[in-house]
Amino acid sequence: MTDDTSDSVREQARPADPRPVAYADPAPLGLAGFAMTTILLSILNTNLLTEPGAIFPVLGLAAFYGGLAQFVAGLFEFRRGTSGRRDSGHD
């Protein structure tokens, strides 16, 4: 009897794709969260909102949108493998 599986398993196996699936860049989400937080806190610093109770919704929005958006963007950056490094154009 002849064996028709003459190719080894290694020759038949495809090499794994080392690059992850490309997703959108999450950096704009983090920057938008930081910018919105900065704008909201700047409105308070310029006394445009003079009511004493106005600080609570502004701080709530700053903590929720700013903090959560930056946290989620950081998680996505980590998943993409780009956290902590940026291409500087130098080899």
Side-chain angles (χ1 to χ4, degrees):
M1 242 174 146
T2 61
D3 188 13
D4 56 1
T5 57
S6 59
D7 292 333
S8 69
V9 173
R10 288 185 183 175
E11 291 174 359
Q12 293 176 356
R14 289 187 316 155
D17 187 12
R19 294 184 345 177
V21 177
Y23 294 107
D25 188 14
L29 174 65
L31 291 173
F34 179 73
M36 183 59 85
T37 304
T38 304
I39 287 172
L40 288 172
L41 294 177
S42 295
I43 288 172
L44 283 179
N45 287 337
T46 57
N47 292 326
L48 290 175
L49 293 175
T50 57
E51 295 86 22
I55 194 168
F56 296 115
V58 169
L59 289 179
L61 282 171
F64 177 75
Y65 182 68
L68 186 64
Q70 290 181 40
F71 180 73
V72 169
L75 288 177
F76 287 143
E77 286 281 352
F78 182 77
R79 176 71 175 109
R80 288 183 76 208
T82 57
S83 62
R85 69 171 172 84
R86 288 284 176 199
D87 292 333
S88 61
H90 302 290
D91 288 324

